[in-house]
Amino acid sequence: MKVTILGAGDAFASHGSCPACYVIEGEGHTILMEAGPALLPLLKRAGFAPASFDLALISHLHGDHFAGLPFLILEYMWESELKKTLTIAGPRRLEQRTWTLFENMFSHFPEEKVARHLKFEVLEAGVSYDFGAIKVATMRTPHTSPDVSLAFRITLAGKTIVFSGDTGWTDELVPFCDGADLFICECTYFDSTHLDFHLNYPLIAQQRSRFNVGRMVLTHLGREVYAHQSEVKIELAFDGMQIEV
Ligand SMILES: [Zn+2]
Ligand SMILES: [Zn+2]
C-alpha cells in the first residue's frame, strides 16, 4: 500500500502547508482521503487523475477537510467525466453540506450530470464497512458537536493504516490503532495544551509508547508545531510525502 500525503497542514495553511488531502493506493485501488480546499491543484501537481478514485473518505464537515469537493464535482462536470460511480463516504449531512456548498459556489450548474455518478454514503461511528477490497472501520473523535467527526482504520492489500482525522485526546485511540502498520495522527498544537478538540505534541509524545503501530506520522500541523520542529521526536508529514506501507 502506498500513502501520498498531499496536504499536511491545518486549516490556516500554517508554514505554507496545504490543508488535509491524502491518496491511498493498493492492489489497483485508489482512495481519496479528505478533500481540503486545495484538492484539485494538489491532485494535478502530483499527477493523480481526478476521475480515478474508487472511494472518497471524508472525516468531518470542516472546510479544511471537505471544501475541495465542489471543485472535484466541477472537474467531473466539465473536465474529467466519471465513467463509474464514485462513493463519497463520510459523516451524516456530508451530502447535503457538499451540495449546499457547491450551489453557493457554482449556482445554476448542471448538477444532475454529475450527481448520478456520485453515491454519498453515511458512515456511522463504531461501525466496519466493506467497500469491496477496501475495509473501513470508524471511531467518533472528540472534535465536533453536534456534527460527528470520525477517525478511520483502513485495510487494503493486507496492510492497515489508521488516520485520526481531527481529534482531541481520547483513550479510545489506543485500541483503535492496535496493530496498524501506519498511524497518521493529527498534531495541531504544541503550546496550546489546554485545548481539548485537537492534539498537541507534548501529549502525543507522552502517550506514544501506548500505541502498538509500525510507524507513526504526525499531520494537520499547526503554527506552533512548526515553530518547535527541532524538539519534535516523532516523524512529521509534509506536502508530497510518500509512504510505502
Ligand atoms: Zn476539524
Ligand atoms: Zn482540520
Side-chain angles (χ1 to χ4, degrees), residues 175-187:
F176 191 68
C177 289
D178 190 48
D181 298 284
L182 172 67
F183 178 28
I184 303 172
C185 183
E186 81 119 284
C187 181

Side-chain angles (χ1 to χ4, degrees), residues 61 66 90-98 122 146-147:
L61 302 175
F66 89 111
R92 279 171 242 173
R93 299 179 61 232
L94 173 62
E95 180 172 15
Q96 174 208 332
R97 291 274 295 268
T98 299
V122 175
D147 285 339

